Amino acid sequence: MTVLDDALDLVRRGFWVFPIRPNDKKPSVKEWQHAATQDPTVISGWFAVSGDRPPPNIGVSTGRFKLDSALLVVDVDVKKGKDGNQSLLHLELEGFDLPDTLTAETPTGGRHLFFSVETPVRQGTDTLGTGLDVRSRGGYVLGAGSTIDGRPYRWLLDTAIQPAPLWLR
């Protein structure tokens, strides 16, 4: 699959996408929050590969999902001394379970757990515990098909996106 195929697949799933600089996590369009789209024509222009230019990565806006909701992404980090998996286990032991939902693996071995919410929620770093970030209002994550240093973002659990549990909202 090409990065264009991956971007169009994300749109079919209900995501709003925009281009990210190649091999990077920074948007390549200004005001990406407003530029994020589901329009296949715009997306084809952004993600068509031509010549020697490396393909862009795919940004997924967490402030919008489908036509009437938003995303809440739990970013499970396992880098720089953080072990989000351990923090997630601690939450589960306290009775704060998360349902199986669409999950992407990140290049560093972390995960993005995708949940739907009616409206975007406040986001932050280490908000649920060390290594557990929340991306939603005003945020984005890189989508499956993106790569950093040759390592891909890819689906780890390819299933339906579940509504965020009440305790997470």
Side-chain angles (χ1 to χ4, degrees):
M1 283 180 69
T2 67
V3 77
L4 174 58
D5 294 331
D6 289 323
L8 292 172
D9 177 63
L10 289 165
V11 168
R12 280 189 289 278
R13 294 170 185 262
F15 296 114
W16 291 71
V17 301
F18 61 96
I20 298 284
R21 295 176 188 168
N23 198 43
D24 203 339
K25 295 182 179 183
K26 294 179 184 149
S28 62
V29 293
K30 292 182 180 181
E31 298 190 21
W32 62 265
Q33 296 93 333
H34 303 292
T37 187
Q38 293 185 318
D39 183 330
T41 303
V42 173
I43 292 165
S44 293
W46 282 339
F47 295 101
V49 177
S50 64
D52 296 339
R53 185 181 63 161
N57 279 330
I58 308 164
V60 171
S61 172
T62 53
R64 290 189 275 184
F65 179 60
K66 297 188 176 179
L67 295 177
D68 58 354
S69 55
L71 292 170
L72 186 162
V73 177
V74 176
D75 182 359
V76 183
D77 285 330
V78 289
K79 61 184 177 188
K80 298 179 183 173
K82 294 183 178 183
D83 187 352
N85 289 318
Q86 191 67 30
S87 295
L88 197 57
L89 177 61
H90 182 69
L91 283 172
E92 289 173 357
L93 291 173
E94 290 183 358
F96 298 105
D97 292 323
L98 292 173
D100 287 341
T101 192
L102 184 68
T103 303
E105 181 181 35
T106 69
T108 59
R111 295 176 288 157
H112 289 160
L113 310 175
F114 291 85
F115 297 96
S116 64
V117 289
E118 289 181 11
T119 58
V121 300
R122 187 172 53 93
Q123 63 177 15
T125 303
D126 294 335
T127 55
L128 300 174
T130 303
L132 293 178
D133 306 337
V134 171
R135 301 287 171 243
S136 191
R137 184 184 315 132
Y140 68 91
V141 295
L142 266 59
S146 299
T147 59
I148 300 290
D149 297 331
R151 295 177 299 188
Y153 285 76
R154 60 180 166 214
W155 298 124
L156 189 59
L157 179 58
D158 193 352
T159 190
I161 295 176
Q162 298 300 309
L166 287 175
W167 70 264
L168 186 57
R169 296 182 222 172

